[in-house]
Amino acid sequence: MPRDTSGPTGRPGRRRATSRAELEHVAFELFAEQGFERTTIDDIARAASIARRTFFHYFASKNDVPWGAFDEQLRWLREELDRYGPDVPLMEVIRRVLVDFNRVPPEEAPWHRRRMELLLRVPALQAHSTLRYQAWRQVIAEFVGRRLGEPVDALAPQAIAYAVLGVALAAYEQWLDRDDAELVALLDTAVRALASGFGASTEGPAR
Amino acid sequence: MPRDTSGPTGRPGRRRATSRAELEHVAFELFAEQGFERTTIDDIARAASIARRTFFHYFASKNDVPWGAFDEQLRWLREELDRYGPDVPLMEVIRRVLVDFNRVPPEEAPWHRRRMELLLRVPALQAHSTLRYQAWRQVIAEFVGRRLGEPVDALAPQAIAYAVLGVALAAYEQWLDRDDAELVALLDTAVRALASGFGASTEGPAR
DNA sequence: AGAGTATGTGCACCCAGTGCAGGAAGGGAA
DNA sequence: TTCCCTTCCTGCACTGGGTGCACATACTCT
């Protein structure tokens, strides 16, 4: 019983009965009520008044639901990295862009937090995230590769991309653990630490 | 039709019909023949002459098969980290241990390579690996936490653990890509780069 | 011959995900 | 209006991973 997403669309063909965003919304409500794992795709489909099979026209898997419009964000990330000239040091570009990338408007903050809580705390999603992070790392690695004049798949670009992702995740986990913490400040600190080789203070007995 | 793993065991109860190691071996053969995804648990069980249900007494999931005796390796890793006194700089301890950790005897090299090819190239395993890496990171984070006098779950220990894991994975991927490369050399290079904040050369316009 | 214990196995499920065939809803042209 | 084309929705049957449970099977020890 598809709701009428009415009004002429200008395009031929049957109108969509719902949207990714709406499905995501419905699903998040269920996740909040009963948890991610205990929510079946049947539950979501029923709550959204679509057929189970139709769910898979909107999302490739249940694990993809919390990712929203991730692809768009990747485009944004790439453009933002390109905006800096070669006068700004490599790691500083990454730090600035990463911080800007994660500046969310206050009214979206609770929503963003729930999303990240799912992605970083539900085992099935932690696991699946790895596959999404690949694309994210690729964007970083391409940027670093251009900067260093090395192929994207060389050791340095890949290692830096992996390391940046790593410290970013550590910062995110801190943010989820302590609600007093500022996400952008944590990210800034983490990337700075990385760029400094984790500080002279970590470097031995010297004092 | 359990084969007779004969001889008195000294313990009460029915004797095991097989072992994790043997199952792993059988499974690897099938993975090599037809690929990981196209190999069902039924296939493995049949090839090992056990019941499908029994497979799950040996492995929690199909994804766990390629991990072998990972828990033992973690113990080894922890002990090795503890072996160094506070006179050796933090990142140097990590680098040395990581390198030693991945020194595999030549006769086991091809086996190890197949294992890592599975873990790092099969999407389902890439995803699942994240969950295993958590324990690995935890070992590193505990070491760093002790060294820095910070809680394990503070930002610095977690960030360093994430970053080390990251560059190690980058090194591993290089090793899989190019068969001329030495794994330990790649790991050494990667961790050194990390400890130096990825080098002055990456640090800007100076030239 | 039991008693107690560890292990193997069959069965009935649940759930995610896929391939396919067909139906329903819309636009545009004849 | 009618017919065609396109796009989307849906039901069905099926595969495969994973679980809970009851019970059978071997084995040791007394």
Side-chain angles (χ1 to χ4, degrees):
Chain A
M1 193 173 309
R3 287 155 288 5
D4 218 352
T5 316
S6 297
T9 60
R11 294 180 329 177
R14 183 172 179 170
R15 284 197 270 275
R16 290 178 167 277
T18 179
S19 66
R20 279 179 71 96
E22 189 181 332
L23 273 184
E24 187 184 322
H25 192 261
V26 167
F28 265 59
E29 211 123 286
L30 292 174
F31 296 160
E33 284 171 24
Q34 36 181 341
F36 179 83
E37 347 234 17
R38 292 168 42 87
T39 302
T40 71
I41 293 181
D42 275 306
D43 291 338
I44 302 173
R46 203 174 316 120
S49 307
I50 58 171
R52 179 186 135 82
R53 194 64 184 82
T54 305
F55 171 88
F56 290 102
H57 285 145
Y58 287 88
F59 294 97
S61 77
K62 182 179 158 188
N63 288 335
D64 285 311
V65 173
W67 283 91
F70 188 60
D71 294 349
E72 291 176 26
Q73 301 215 15
L74 283 190
R75 271 197 300 280
W76 189 91
L77 179 63
R78 189 165 322 174
E79 290 165 11
E80 211 60 17
L81 286 169
D82 287 345
R83 194 179 301 278
Y84 288 86
D87 51 310
V88 187
L90 174 60
M91 287 302 280
E92 191 166 330
V93 175
I94 291 178
R95 182 174 51 77
R96 289 195 206 169
V97 170
L98 189 62
V99 165
D100 289 344
F101 187 71
N102 286 283
R103 239 185 257 286
V104 292
E107 69 271 19
E108 289 178 21
W111 186 262
H112 185 226
R113 197 181 189 96
R114 270 193 299 256
R115 181 193 302 277
M116 296 313 293
E117 258 164 9
L118 284 175
L119 292 177
L120 295 182
R121 299 229 223 251
V122 175
L125 292 175
Q126 289 176 344
H128 180 255
S129 295
T130 303
L131 306 177
R132 293 303 202 108
Y133 293 152
Q134 280 177 354
W136 191 91
R137 282 192 287 107
Q138 185 67 7
V139 173
I140 303 289
E142 278 166 6
F143 167 73
V144 175
R146 275 200 305 280
R147 271 304 191 93
L148 301 185
E150 293 185 29
V152 213
D153 58 342
L155 179 58
Q158 292 292 319
I160 292 177
Y162 258 119
V164 171
L165 173 63
V167 299
L169 288 174
Y172 255 103
E173 287 177 2
Q174 291 294 309
W175 177 62
L176 290 181
D177 283 349
R178 335 195 190 295
D179 33 307
D180 60 312
E182 276 288 348
L183 175 57
V184 291
L186 287 166
L187 286 166
D188 189 272
T189 303
V191 178
R192 277 182 203 277
L194 173 66
S196 76
F198 296 106
S201 70
T202 69
E203 277 304 343
R207 162 167 314 272
Chain B
M1 195 175 306
R3 289 158 283 7
D4 218 353
T5 316
S6 296
T9 60
R11 294 182 327 176
R14 184 172 178 169
R15 283 195 272 274
R16 301 184 96 96
T18 179
S19 66
R20 279 179 70 97
E22 189 180 332
L23 273 185
E24 185 185 323
H25 191 262
V26 166
F28 265 58
E29 212 122 286
L30 293 174
F31 295 160
E33 286 171 24
Q34 37 182 341
F36 180 82
E37 346 233 20
R38 290 169 42 87
T39 302
T40 71
I41 293 181
D42 275 306
D43 291 338
I44 301 173
R46 204 175 313 119
S49 307
I50 59 172
R52 176 184 137 84
R53 193 65 183 80
T54 304
F55 171 89
F56 290 102
H57 286 153
Y58 286 88
F59 294 96
S61 77
K62 183 180 162 189
N63 289 335
D64 285 311
V65 173
W67 283 91
F70 187 60
D71 294 348
E72 291 175 26
Q73 301 214 17
L74 283 190
R75 270 197 299 281
W76 188 91
L77 179 63
R78 188 166 326 183
E79 290 166 12
E80 212 60 20
L81 286 170
D82 287 345
R83 194 180 300 280
Y84 287 87
D87 51 308
V88 187
L90 174 60
M91 287 301 280
E92 191 165 331
V93 175
I94 291 178
R95 181 174 52 76
R96 289 194 205 168
V97 171
L98 189 61
V99 165
D100 289 345
F101 187 71
N102 286 283
R103 242 184 253 286
V104 292
E107 69 271 18
E108 291 178 20
W111 186 261
H112 185 224
R113 197 181 189 95
R114 270 192 299 255
R115 180 193 302 276
M116 296 313 294
E117 260 165 7
L118 285 174
L119 293 178
L120 296 182
R121 299 229 224 251
V122 175
L125 293 175
Q126 289 177 342
H128 180 253
S129 295
T130 303
L131 306 177
R132 293 304 203 109
Y133 294 151
Q134 279 177 356
W136 191 91
R137 282 191 287 109
Q138 184 67 7
V139 174
I140 303 289
E142 279 165 7
F143 168 74
V144 176
R146 274 199 304 281
R147 271 304 191 95
L148 300 186
E150 293 185 29
V152 214
D153 59 343
L155 179 58
Q158 292 292 319
I160 293 177
Y162 258 118
V164 171
L165 173 63
V167 299
L169 289 175
Y172 255 103
E173 286 177 2
Q174 292 294 308
W175 177 61
L176 290 181
D177 283 349
R178 337 197 188 293
D179 32 307
D180 60 313
E182 276 287 350
L183 175 58
V184 291
L186 287 166
L187 286 166
D188 189 274
T189 304
V191 178
R192 276 182 203 279
L194 174 65
S196 77
F198 296 107
S201 71
T202 69
E203 277 306 340
R207 165 153 307 274

